[in-house]
Amino acid sequence: MLFHVRMDVRLPADMPEHQAAELKKTEKEMAQSLQQNGKWRHLWRIAGQYANISIFDVGSIDELHTTISALPLFPYMQIEVMPLCRHPSSIRTDDR
């Protein structure tokens, strides 16, 4: 199942820089691992914002929730999820 996920990150202004840096490092490692195993299909930064648009390919909404809630930055995110399905006018026969 494909899901369009928007994640807006809001770190507390008073968070120590070393703590924020460690969270970001761990987040990057986890995001890259999820991309390598095919669960996190696409990841785009939204220009000018600490936010991204992502496409996840998971077996269920429960798996998506488990995956997203395990992210180190999850407690500091506002997340919007939209399930996706193939459009009948698409010229693509796969999910490229």
Side-chain angles (χ1 to χ4, degrees), residues 1 13 15 20 39-40 44 46 60 68 83 90 96:
M1 300 177 71
M15 178 180 280
K39 297 290 181 186
W40 199 327
W44 295 279
I46 300 173
S60 67
I68 292 173
S90 175
R96 289 183 288 153

Side-chain angles (χ1 to χ4, degrees), residues 1-63:
M1 300 177 71
L2 296 177
F3 294 91
H4 169 282
V5 180
R6 178 181 173 138
M7 294 180 242
D8 292 85
V9 181
R10 305 275 189 274
L11 293 177
D14 62 348
M15 178 180 280
E17 184 54 40
H18 70 277
Q19 182 182 357
E22 185 60 31
L23 277 172
K24 292 173 190 179
K25 177 182 175 282
T26 307
E27 180 86 11
K28 181 177 182 176
E29 291 167 357
M30 189 168 188
Q32 289 178 343
S33 175
L34 288 165
Q35 288 173 75
Q36 290 167 348
N37 74 23
K39 297 290 181 186
W40 199 327
R41 285 276 201 92
H42 299 281
L43 173 58
W44 295 279
R45 167 73 38 99
I46 300 173
Q49 300 178 36
Y50 193 2
N52 72 72
I53 298 292
S54 296
I55 303 295
F56 283 84
D57 187 357
V58 293
S60 67
I61 189 71
D62 290 325
E63 182 181 357

